[in-house]
Amino acid sequence: MENKQTALWLAPMAGGGDRAFRESCAAFGADHFCTEMISAKAYHFRDKKTEELAVIGEIARPSAIQLFGSEPLILAEAAAHFSQNEACAEIDLNFGCPVPKIVNNKEGSALLRDPARCREIVRAVVAASKKPVTVKLRTGWTKDEMTAPQIASLCEEEGAALITVHGRAREDFYRDNTVSYRAIRAVKEAVKIPVIANGGIDSPASAQAMLEATHADGIM
C-alpha cells in the first residue's frame, strides 16, 4: 500500500501473538495491537497465567486486551479488572474463535448463533469496563447463517465502540479463498461505528483489495 493512511491492526493470535511478537510487529509498522485471547473464567478463578497474558509492555501500543467467555457477569468482572490497566486502550470481546474446545463451551464463534446472549454480554461489559469495548466476530456459523450484520447492530446498540469482522464463517476456519468481502461490507453498512476488516490479508495487494471492496475503516 503506497502512502499508507489506513490503520493496520495486528490480529490477536492465541499461542502466537505474545508480547515479543507484538513488539516485533510494532517495529515493522503495525499501528494497533491486541493481546492473545484471555479466558474471563480463568480470571474469575484467579489463574496466574491469565495475568501474564494481559501484560502489554511499553512498545506495542495502543493495545486492546481481548477476553472470551459466554457468561455476561463473569466477562464483566474480568473487564472491570483488566480495564484498570493504564496501558489497555480497549476491552475486546472475542465472538469469533472457531476452535472446537472454545465453541463446545458456547464461546467464541458459537455466540454467533445466539444474538440475545451477545447483546447481554456487550451490555454487561460496557457497564463494567473503564475503557471502550470492541467486538471481533466472524460472518456467521455457516455461510448460510450470516448473522454478523445483526449482531454488530446489537453490539452497537449496547455501546460497542468498534467492530472487527473476520470475513469467514466458522465452518471455513482459516481455509484459503473463503473470505467474503460482501459479508464484511454488509456489516459496514449495518452500523455507524468503525469497522475493521480481517481475513486473508497477506500482501499490499490483498490489503488494498479488502479496503476497496468493503469500505472498512481499517484492516487487521
Side-chain angles (χ1 to χ4, degrees):
M1 296 173 64
E2 294 182 5
N3 302 318
K4 179 176 78 72
Q5 297 178 342
T6 301
L8 300 179
W9 295 57
L10 180 64
M13 294 175 285
D18 60 13
R19 177 179 168 184
F21 178 76
R22 298 195 301 268
E23 291 179 351
S24 295
C25 291
F28 285 95
D31 299 309
H32 205 109
F33 307 85
C34 190
T35 66
E36 300 175 75
M37 66 179 190
I38 293 169
S39 168
K41 188 171 288 185
Y43 168 72
H44 179 73
F45 290 108
R46 301 302 187 262
D47 175 71
K48 292 182 179 179
K49 185 179 178 182
T50 299
E51 295 288 352
E52 296 173 7
L53 289 172
V55 173
I56 290 172
E58 298 295 329
I59 298 173
R61 298 189 186 188
S63 179
I65 291 178
Q66 188 182 76
L67 302 176
F68 76 95
S70 62
E71 299 170 71
L73 293 181
I74 289 180
L75 279 158
E77 176 192 16
H81 170 71
F82 289 114
S83 66
Q84 295 180 65
N85 183 338
E86 188 176 311
C88 172
E90 304 99 18
I91 294 294
D92 187 61
L93 295 171
N94 184 307
F95 292 176
C97 181
V99 176
K101 70 178 181 179
I102 301 296
V103 300
N104 289 343
N105 286 327
K106 299 182 180 179
E107 301 167 339
S109 57
L111 290 165
L112 299 173
R113 308 187 90 176
D114 192 350
R117 177 58 62 94
C118 293
R119 181 191 285 277
E120 292 172 12
I121 288 171
V122 175
R123 179 185 298 160
V125 171
V126 167
S129 177
K130 294 176 172 58
K131 301 291 174 63
V133 175
T134 61
V135 179
K136 187 169 190 282
L137 44 72
R138 282 181 173 240
T139 62
W141 183 255
T142 69
K143 290 184 178 68
D144 296 327
E145 296 179 39
M146 194 176 74
T147 53
Q150 176 195 5
I151 291 173
S153 293
L154 295 178
C155 293
E156 181 180 38
E157 288 173 12
E158 297 301 335
L162 176 146
I163 303 289
T164 299
V165 188
H166 184 142
R168 294 180 172 95
R170 190 269 173 171
E171 68 179 359
D172 295 324
F173 281 80
Y174 300 97
R175 288 191 289 273
D176 292 340
N177 303 315
T178 57
V179 174
S180 171
Y181 293 163
R182 179 180 65 87
I184 299 173
R185 177 73 175 268
V187 174
K188 175 62 181 169
E189 293 173 348
V191 299
K192 294 181 174 62
I193 56 177
V195 173
I196 305 301
N198 172 235
I201 300 172
D202 57 7
S203 67
S206 59
Q208 193 66 46
M210 175 70 83
L211 286 169
E212 291 176 356
T214 65
H215 295 183
D217 299 287
I219 51 177
M220 176 177 281

